[in-house]
Amino acid sequence: DEFADFAPNVVTIDPGKLNAIGANVTLQASRNIFIKDRISLATAGAGVTVLAGGASATGGGIVLEDQGATRPGGIFTNGGSVVLRGSSVTGPGVIRTAGGAVDIQTTGDLNYTSAIDSGGGAVNLASTSGAVNGAHVSAGPGTIGVSAAAGIHGGRYATSGTATFATTEGDI
Protein backbone atom coordinates (compact mmCIF):
# COMPACT_ATOMS: atom_id res chain seq x y z
CA ASP A 1 0.00 0.00 0.00
CA GLU A 2 3.00 2.30 0.26
CA PHE A 3 5.78 2.96 -2.24
CA ALA A 4 8.38 2.79 0.56
CA ASP A 5 7.29 -0.72 1.67
CA PHE A 6 9.66 -2.46 -0.74
CA ALA A 7 13.43 -2.50 -0.92
CA PRO A 8 15.01 -0.86 -4.01
CA ASN A 9 15.39 -4.05 -6.01
CA VAL A 10 13.40 -6.40 -8.22
CA VAL A 11 9.94 -7.32 -6.99
CA THR A 12 7.78 -9.92 -8.71
CA ILE A 13 4.01 -9.81 -8.29
CA ASP A 14 1.70 -12.63 -9.40
CA PRO A 15 -0.92 -11.14 -11.79
CA GLY A 16 -3.52 -13.49 -10.28
CA LYS A 17 -3.03 -11.78 -6.92
CA LEU A 18 -3.75 -8.42 -8.56
CA ASN A 19 -7.03 -9.76 -9.95
CA ALA A 20 -7.93 -11.18 -6.53
CA ILE A 21 -7.79 -7.68 -5.03
CA GLY A 22 -11.08 -6.94 -6.84
CA ALA A 23 -10.40 -3.19 -6.93
CA ASN A 24 -8.16 -0.59 -8.56
CA VAL A 25 -4.45 -1.46 -8.57
CA THR A 26 -1.46 0.90 -8.60
CA LEU A 27 2.06 -0.32 -9.41
CA GLN A 28 4.89 2.13 -8.76
CA ALA A 29 8.66 1.72 -9.11
CA SER A 30 11.59 4.08 -8.80
CA ARG A 31 12.95 2.73 -12.09
CA ASN A 32 11.51 0.53 -14.86
CA ILE A 33 8.43 -1.69 -14.73
CA PHE A 34 8.28 -4.84 -16.85
CA ILE A 35 4.86 -6.46 -17.17
CA LYS A 36 5.87 -9.95 -18.23
CA ASP A 37 2.53 -11.76 -17.77
CA ARG A 38 -0.89 -10.40 -18.59
CA ILE A 39 -2.60 -8.37 -15.91
CA SER A 40 -6.28 -9.26 -16.24
CA LEU A 41 -8.73 -7.63 -13.82
CA ALA A 42 -12.15 -9.29 -13.94
CA THR A 43 -13.92 -7.03 -11.42
CA ALA A 44 -16.15 -4.57 -13.26
CA GLY A 45 -14.61 -1.10 -13.22
CA ALA A 46 -11.32 -2.12 -11.58
CA GLY A 47 -8.43 -0.33 -13.26
CA VAL A 48 -4.64 -0.34 -13.34
CA THR A 49 -2.27 2.59 -12.80
CA VAL A 50 1.43 2.02 -13.54
CA LEU A 51 3.97 4.68 -12.53
CA ALA A 52 7.59 4.07 -13.55
CA GLY A 53 10.27 6.38 -12.20
CA GLY A 54 8.98 7.16 -8.74
CA ALA A 55 6.28 9.55 -7.65
CA SER A 56 7.07 11.90 -10.55
CA ALA A 57 6.84 8.98 -13.02
CA THR A 58 9.62 10.43 -15.17
CA GLY A 59 12.75 8.35 -14.55
CA GLY A 60 11.73 4.87 -15.67
CA GLY A 61 10.07 3.11 -18.57
CA ILE A 62 7.21 0.64 -18.85
CA VAL A 63 7.52 -2.48 -20.99
CA LEU A 64 4.41 -4.55 -21.76
CA GLU A 65 5.85 -7.90 -22.76
CA ASP A 66 4.12 -10.73 -24.63
CA GLN A 67 5.71 -14.10 -25.24
CA GLY A 68 2.93 -15.61 -27.32
CA ALA A 69 0.39 -18.25 -26.40
CA THR A 70 2.48 -19.70 -23.57
CA ARG A 71 2.92 -16.35 -21.76
CA PRO A 72 0.53 -13.70 -23.11
CA GLY A 73 1.16 -10.19 -21.88
CA GLY A 74 -0.54 -6.84 -21.74
CA ILE A 75 -3.28 -5.39 -19.57
CA PHE A 76 -6.97 -6.36 -19.75
CA THR A 77 -9.76 -4.82 -17.65
CA ASN A 78 -13.53 -5.21 -17.45
CA GLY A 79 -14.43 -1.55 -17.93
CA GLY A 80 -11.64 -0.25 -15.70
CA SER A 81 -9.18 2.41 -16.78
CA VAL A 82 -5.51 1.90 -17.64
CA VAL A 83 -3.13 4.74 -16.73
CA LEU A 84 0.56 4.47 -17.67
CA ARG A 85 3.18 7.09 -16.76
CA GLY A 86 6.92 6.97 -17.34
CA SER A 87 9.78 8.13 -19.52
CA SER A 88 8.73 5.58 -22.16
CA VAL A 89 6.12 2.91 -22.87
CA THR A 90 7.00 0.07 -25.25
CA GLY A 91 6.38 -3.61 -25.93
CA PRO A 92 4.06 -5.99 -27.77
CA GLY A 93 1.52 -6.57 -24.96
CA VAL A 94 -2.05 -5.56 -25.84
CA ILE A 95 -4.20 -3.13 -23.79
CA ARG A 96 -7.93 -3.97 -23.77
CA THR A 97 -10.37 -2.23 -21.40
CA ALA A 98 -13.94 -3.17 -22.46
CA GLY A 99 -15.12 0.43 -22.09
CA GLY A 100 -12.54 1.79 -19.66
CA ALA A 101 -10.38 4.81 -20.49
CA VAL A 102 -6.73 4.48 -21.53
CA ASP A 103 -4.38 7.31 -20.58
CA ILE A 104 -0.69 6.97 -21.49
CA GLN A 105 1.79 9.78 -20.89
CA THR A 106 5.55 9.73 -21.39
CA THR A 107 8.28 12.29 -20.98
CA GLY A 108 10.25 10.80 -23.90
CA ASP A 109 9.05 9.15 -27.10
CA LEU A 110 5.92 7.03 -26.82
CA ASN A 111 6.82 4.02 -28.99
CA TYR A 112 3.99 1.69 -27.98
CA THR A 113 2.95 0.05 -31.26
CA SER A 114 0.75 -2.78 -30.05
CA ALA A 115 -3.05 -2.70 -30.00
CA ILE A 116 -5.03 -0.44 -27.69
CA ASP A 117 -8.71 -1.48 -27.72
CA SER A 118 -10.78 0.62 -25.34
CA GLY A 119 -14.17 -0.77 -26.36
CA GLY A 120 -15.67 2.72 -26.23
CA GLY A 121 -13.56 4.30 -23.51
CA ALA A 122 -11.61 7.49 -24.18
CA VAL A 123 -7.97 7.06 -25.26
CA ASN A 124 -5.38 9.76 -24.56
CA LEU A 125 -1.77 9.39 -25.68
CA ALA A 126 0.76 12.10 -24.85
CA SER A 127 4.49 12.71 -24.96
CA THR A 128 5.52 15.87 -23.14
CA SER A 129 8.96 16.17 -24.80
CA GLY A 130 9.10 13.48 -27.49
CA ALA A 131 6.99 11.99 -30.28
CA VAL A 132 4.08 9.53 -30.42
CA ASN A 133 5.11 6.82 -32.87
CA GLY A 134 3.07 4.02 -34.45
CA ALA A 135 0.14 3.75 -32.04
CA HIS A 136 -2.70 1.37 -33.00
CA VAL A 137 -5.92 2.53 -31.34
CA SER A 138 -9.46 1.23 -31.65
CA ALA A 139 -11.80 3.29 -29.47
CA GLY A 140 -15.23 2.36 -30.82
CA PRO A 141 -17.44 5.37 -29.99
CA GLY A 142 -14.84 6.69 -27.53
CA THR A 143 -12.76 9.79 -28.15
CA ILE A 144 -9.08 9.71 -29.11
CA GLY A 145 -6.66 12.48 -28.13
CA VAL A 146 -3.00 12.41 -29.19
CA SER A 147 -0.51 15.13 -28.31
CA ALA A 148 3.27 15.29 -28.62
CA ALA A 149 6.02 17.86 -28.53
CA ALA A 150 8.04 16.32 -31.37
CA GLY A 151 5.38 14.95 -33.74
CA ILE A 152 2.92 12.14 -34.29
CA HIS A 153 4.15 9.50 -36.73
CA GLY A 154 2.43 6.48 -38.24
CA GLY A 155 -0.08 4.25 -36.53
CA ARG A 156 -3.81 3.63 -36.94
CA TYR A 157 -6.57 5.43 -35.08
CA ALA A 158 -10.17 4.21 -35.33
CA THR A 159 -13.19 5.79 -33.63
CA SER A 160 -16.76 6.72 -34.46
CA GLY A 161 -16.32 9.53 -31.93
CA THR A 162 -13.97 12.50 -32.08
CA ALA A 163 -10.21 12.28 -32.66
CA THR A 164 -7.84 15.18 -32.00
CA PHE A 165 -4.13 15.39 -32.82
CA ALA A 166 -1.79 18.16 -31.64
CA THR A 167 1.94 18.74 -31.72
CA THR A 168 3.98 21.77 -30.71
CA GLU A 169 7.11 21.25 -32.83
CA GLY A 170 6.76 18.22 -35.08
CA ASP A 171 4.70 16.91 -37.96
CA ILE A 172 1.49 14.93 -37.88
Side-chain angles (χ1 to χ4, degrees), residues 62 94 107 110 117 142-143 148:
I62 300 168
V94 171
T107 54
L110 198 167
D117 181 353
T143 60

Side-chain angles (χ1 to χ4, degrees), residues 42-106:
T43 301
V48 178
T49 298
V50 181
L51 308 171
S56 65
T58 59
I62 300 168
V63 179
L64 298 171
E65 297 187 10
D66 187 339
Q67 283 134 44
T70 58
R71 265 184 98 177
I75 300 173
F76 285 33
T77 71
N78 181 15
S81 64
V82 172
V83 176
L84 306 178
R85 298 280 189 273
S87 59
S88 64
V89 176
T90 61
V94 171
I95 297 172
R96 185 169 293 135
T97 64
V102 177
D103 187 0
I104 303 174
Q105 184 174 352
T106 63

Side-chain angles (χ1 to χ4, degrees), residues 152-168:
I152 301 167
H153 308 110
R156 293 187 315 259
Y157 301 90
T159 180
S160 59
T162 303
T164 58
F165 301 88
T167 184
T168 54

Side-chain angles (χ1 to χ4, degrees), residues 22-62:
N24 292 325
V25 173
T26 298
L27 303 174
Q28 183 177 12
S30 60
R31 296 182 305 198
N32 299 317
I33 297 177
F34 297 88
I35 298 175
K36 294 184 177 273
D37 295 305
R38 179 178 296 152
I39 295 173
S40 185
L41 302 183
T43 301
V48 178
T49 298
V50 181
L51 308 171
S56 65
T58 59
I62 300 168

